[in-house]
Amino acid sequence: MDEKFEKMSRLYQALYEINEAILRLEDESHLFPLICDIAVSLGGMRLAWIGRPDLESGSMTRLVSSGATAYLDGIEIFVDPSSDFGQGPTGHVWREGQNVIINDFHSSEMTDPWKERAVTNRINSCGSFPIFRGGEIFAIFTAYHEQIGAFDSDVVALLDELSRDVTFALENFDRNAEIERSSSELAAKERHFRAYFEHSMVGMIALTKDGMILEANSRFCEMLGYKQDELPRNIVYGLSHPDDIELSKAFLARASQATGGYFVLDKRYIHKDGSTIRVHNTVGVVTDALGNFDYLVAAVENVNERDERRNRIELLGRIIDNSLNEVLIYEAKSLRFTWANRGSLVNLGYSALELNEMDALAIKPDFDLASFMELASPLLDKTKEILVFESVHQRKDGSRYPVEVHLQIAEVGEERFFVAVVLDITARIESRDRLLTAASLFTNSREGIAIADADFRVTAINSSFTRITGYSEEDAIGTYVAPTDSPMVFDGGFGEDWSKLLRNGEFDGDLWSHRKDGFGYLNRFSIRHIRDDREMVVGYAGFYKDVTQERSNEERLRNAEMTDSLTGLMNRNSFMVATVELFESESKAMGGVALLLVNLDHFKAVNEAYGYSIGDVALQRLGSRFEAMIDPKRPICRLGGDEFAMAVATKDPLDALDFAQSVLGLIIQPIETDAGEVHLGAFIGISLYPDDSSDFESLFILANSALERARHGGSNKILLFDSSNIGAYTRSLEIQKSFRRALSNDELYLVYQPIVSLRDGSIRSFEALLRWNHPKLGEVPPSEIIRIAERSGFIIPLGNWIISRALAQLASWHRDGVDVAMLSINVSAIQFLDGSLVSILGDKLRQYGLGNGVVEVEITETIAMTNVDESQVQIEKLKDLGVGISIDDFGTGYSSLSYLRKFPATTIKIDQSFTSELVENVEVSTIVESVIRIADALGAEIVAEGVETIAQFEVLQRMGCANVQGYLIARPMLPEKVAPFIEKVAQDPWYFLCQE
């Protein structure tokens, strides 16, 4: 009994606290949390929560909870009776609107889905109660108790009362909110009336039936020239014109007898200054709650002002009608024109009668009815008062022009009209486009730009200016762009050019400047006048470009053009220039020059023994030794590979030999490398200026002739040119001198030799081969052509000619339907490493419209291995261009597999010297078979050159060689013979096997 008493006491205390809270609460957001907290803390409940269902999903959403809330974590409760989770007490309460009490939670079927979590949270009984709002269930209050049977009739009655109290509180909140809203609306109406009364454009007065002014607005006072506190209070005797007093008294008597409605009266008032004001009065009767007369309200319009307005409106109408802008009025429903001003008729080219037969869409080519009505919908539904948009109008002659349209709705009675004021914005669009272009250029320019006024004071800069100079807008704005007082230091200033700028309005120059951080940079600075329409100077535009890196790159390029990349010595071109200058200076001094060509001995053995990186180091260190000998009278260069050229000012052959001996002494000294000491020798050939010849090309050939003889004389041999060998010299000189003529006279030509597949006899590709039919010497061997071209510096133009001629022929075949799938072109070492090969190939491929995979460049094994790093760079660039790489004459050079792996060669060609011994020599046969396997492993195709017999053909076929080339298949042929050959192979791929 005591226990129940204590429980009921707690519940009563909880109910009391909740009722007290309801009386105190002004915000309903605190109500639900307070109920749950009190139910747990004072009412002894294990858990209390309030929830309402999500109307879409039907699941209960917890609004607030207190106590053992872990029971509710992740719980599923629905109000849908078809759900297993919708049969609980909460679902029943929501559907039926009645309390549901469960005094034994674990024996009720209604609580099956939640019994396990009830055990965990010590819950044994519960009660769910509806909370109503506005006559409908708003939420459900559920309380849980630790004891079985805790919800007896007394407890249920108290909790039921609690839920009704909450319902009362919610509805009380709603009533208070409604009262507040109604009060707010009433206050707003009062404010609106007061605002209308005070700010009306006409005079407003409130009158008694005797004509005493109860209230007057400021407009009425202004109309008669009075202040509020000095306005006469009797409208009949204090303000009316003497002749209208009786009229006013009669009007007031009549109006005061009415119980509603409006009356009008035209009369006169006397202005404070004594003048007469004609007015139009609209008077309304205001009654009290019983319908009896209370007071009069009059709207007083100044007729004098109305007439003035009417006159102004008529004037405005004439102005609008004569305006050059278009003013158009058309019906809102049909869009049919009802009026157009003269500007519209002139701009559109229609007469008034023609326009009246048209609708607005006839001049709006960008719109149909639906799109125009959608555009105008904010006007039609009164969400906007005016629309401003850009569009296009079409004239009677079909021409179009851009317009800006100001569109409004006008209502006349029940009819609605569109009123459009239309501006031709052709000039504005053009100006805007120019401004946008200028703004875009200013903002996005990579050059720094500073705009200055006529006094050279900076007014604006772009972001590139800050990037280049380091000066922000805050630093630069207001400073000077002139050479003095500028935030940037111009080393050396402008000098006389600044005076020229002031006269001519421009300056251009490269000036060394300093950034904000003090670092110097080369500034390509320009400044120009900015003039207005009257050609007056109104400002200046300064342009800043950091060309430090560009200048550095130019210098590096110049150095690269003049120096050898490996040793840093002069290259062939710069050596020739320096030597010719030395010829000229020594000629004036009656002196002479010795030209030395140096070919290193044993260098190939160094590469083979230690690798090419050690060979490169040896060349670099030898170049460093030679640098100590260089002066203006002793230029030295690396020709390429292991060849050098030197010149020394001397006329005495013995001095030349002594100099050559000193050069040889530098060469034979051991060279320290990471692989140990390297020992080299040399062959040196010498020719003398002017004794042997007076031009560089001839002397070069003579020195080379001496060098060739020195090679046959043993290691470390030095020889002067011997005029007894004049025959070979004369031939070389004749070839070299006629070389330029040969290029321009078409004495050089190309022939094409096929490469066929051993799998099916199909033609894989053709190789372009150089030929020269010399008018005096006859056919010049290709090897001699190349050697002379390399020695004389013509190899690059020759290579470019071969590429251009070969690709033009390939494009011609393709146009004629001749199926030449790929063309191989031989490239010299000089051109391959020069760096221009990729550029010329790319240009010609684009010029002739040739795609990827139609050209293969053939380089010798020796070329690829001479400068491995540079070779890799060039090969990757060619690969990116879609050009294949063929390693020619494989087996005759270094044949280094470690380096060969670095090159993504598409083809490896076995040299004909191996093919010729293939049948008879077992050792050669083994080497060839190994090369074929190597090519397969590297993913490259294999081509055997120089196949001349069926026996060679058959051996290669058995070895698995993919392709062959040689006289057995076909000799090199002229371009016009290619198409017939292809047709012949198409008919019988193996025809050549029957005609050895």
Side-chain angles (χ1 to χ4, degrees), residues 673-881:
T673 70
D674 292 342
E677 288 187 350
V678 168
H679 297 271
L680 297 174
F683 310 103
I684 301 177
I686 307 172
S687 60
L688 298 175
Y689 168 90
D691 296 349
D692 294 330
S693 179
S694 59
D695 69 273
F696 180 84
E697 292 177 2
S698 300
L699 280 170
F700 200 94
I701 292 172
L702 298 179
N704 188 57
S705 175
L707 176 62
E708 290 298 325
R709 289 191 299 111
R711 282 198 184 98
H712 299 292
S715 185
N716 300 330
K717 191 74 172 178
I718 302 172
L719 287 180
L720 289 162
F721 169 69
D722 183 357
S723 59
S724 64
N725 196 23
I726 198 65
Y729 155 70
T730 302
R731 175 181 171 84
S732 295
L733 190 60
E734 175 63 29
I735 291 173
Q736 184 166 321
K737 287 184 175 180
S738 56
F739 196 80
R740 284 195 183 92
R741 184 195 69 230
L743 280 174
S744 58
N745 291 353
D746 283 337
E747 293 174 16
L748 297 174
Y749 62 98
L750 297 179
V751 292
Y752 302 88
Q753 188 173 34
I755 299 171
V756 300
S757 170
L758 278 178
R759 298 183 183 92
D760 56 14
S762 62
I763 299 172
R764 173 191 180 270
S765 58
F766 283 83
E767 180 179 359
L769 300 168
L770 179 65
R771 297 291 185 266
W772 183 5
N773 186 13
H774 194 282
K776 293 181 180 178
L777 304 176
E779 287 290 339
V780 179
S783 59
E784 191 172 5
I785 300 172
I786 299 302
R787 186 175 67 253
I788 295 297
E790 287 180 341
R791 294 289 187 187
S792 59
F794 294 139
I795 191 64
I796 300 296
L798 176 61
N800 292 345
W801 180 88
I802 292 171
I803 290 169
S804 181
R805 183 62 61 93
L807 295 187
Q809 181 60 62
L810 181 59
S812 175
W813 280 328
H814 286 183
R815 285 194 302 272
D816 296 340
V818 180
D819 186 17
V820 177
M822 185 163 63
L823 194 62
S824 297
I825 302 173
N826 290 279
V827 175
S828 73
I830 292 173
Q831 184 166 29
F832 179 72
L833 297 174
D834 172 71
S836 63
L837 176 62
V838 174
S839 176
I840 185 68
L841 268 171
D843 290 344
K844 293 303 176 182
L845 285 169
R846 286 188 292 272
Q847 178 182 344
Y848 296 121
L850 297 169
N852 293 346
V854 298
V855 175
E856 191 173 60
V857 168
E858 290 196 13
I859 59 174
T860 65
E861 179 186 0
T862 305
I863 294 174
M865 305 307 173
T866 299
N867 189 331
V868 176
D869 293 338
E870 183 61 27
S871 294
Q872 280 186 289
V873 171
Q874 295 302 320
I875 288 173
E876 285 298 330
K877 289 181 178 179
L878 290 169
K879 185 179 177 183
D880 292 342
L881 196 62

Side-chain angles (χ1 to χ4, degrees), residues 162-360:
L162 183 148
S163 67
R164 288 198 301 273
D165 288 346
V166 173
T167 296
F168 170 79
L170 291 175
E171 292 181 344
N172 195 47
F173 282 130
D174 293 341
R175 282 192 296 274
N176 290 338
E178 179 62 23
I179 291 170
E180 185 176 346
R181 185 186 62 79
S182 299
S183 299
S184 177
E185 288 181 358
L186 187 60
K189 288 179 180 178
E190 174 65 24
R191 287 195 302 274
H192 293 161
F193 172 77
R194 180 55 52 192
Y196 174 75
F197 187 87
E198 289 296 334
H199 301 292
S200 174
M201 296 300 294
V202 298
M204 297 288 294
I205 53 175
L207 300 168
T208 69
K209 61 182 177 181
D210 298 325
M212 296 301 293
I213 298 175
L214 299 174
E215 191 172 2
N217 70 353
S218 58
R219 178 72 185 104
F220 182 81
C221 296
E222 289 173 7
M223 189 188 305
L224 297 178
Y226 291 97
K227 296 179 181 179
Q228 280 279 1
D229 58 358
E230 60 184 16
L231 182 70
R233 308 318 294 177
N234 190 300
I235 198 167
V236 176
Y237 299 105
L239 293 172
S240 294
H241 190 279
D243 294 341
D244 292 342
I245 289 176
E246 293 304 321
L247 176 67
S248 299
K249 289 167 63 177
F251 178 81
L252 287 172
R254 182 163 57 93
S256 63
Q257 299 300 317
T259 58
Y262 291 91
F263 302 88
V264 294
L265 173 67
D266 290 332
K267 60 172 290 184
R268 291 166 290 182
Y269 286 131
I270 299 300
H271 194 276
K272 182 182 178 181
D273 64 9
S275 61
T276 300
I277 305 294
R278 293 186 301 113
V279 298
H280 176 76
N281 294 276
T282 303
V283 182
V285 178
V286 180
T287 60
D288 59 18
L290 299 176
N292 298 319
F293 177 90
D294 194 0
Y295 61 91
L296 299 173
V297 175
V300 184
E301 182 183 6
N302 188 331
V303 176
N304 292 1
E305 292 178 352
R306 185 180 66 187
D307 291 345
E308 289 177 8
R309 285 199 301 273
R310 183 182 295 116
N311 292 335
R312 287 197 297 271
I313 289 171
E314 290 176 358
L315 176 62
L316 179 61
R318 290 194 296 274
I319 292 171
I320 290 173
D321 193 37
N322 290 288
S323 171
L324 294 178
N325 293 323
E326 300 169 32
V327 182
L328 298 158
I329 300 175
Y330 41 97
E331 295 174 353
K333 287 184 178 180
S334 66
L335 303 185
R336 191 178 186 85
F337 287 115
T338 60
W339 186 82
N341 74 336
R342 294 180 186 177
S344 301
L345 304 180
V346 171
N347 289 351
L348 293 167
Y350 292 102
S351 68
L353 289 176
E354 287 174 322
L355 269 184
N356 285 339
E357 296 298 321
M358 298 164 55
D359 63 32

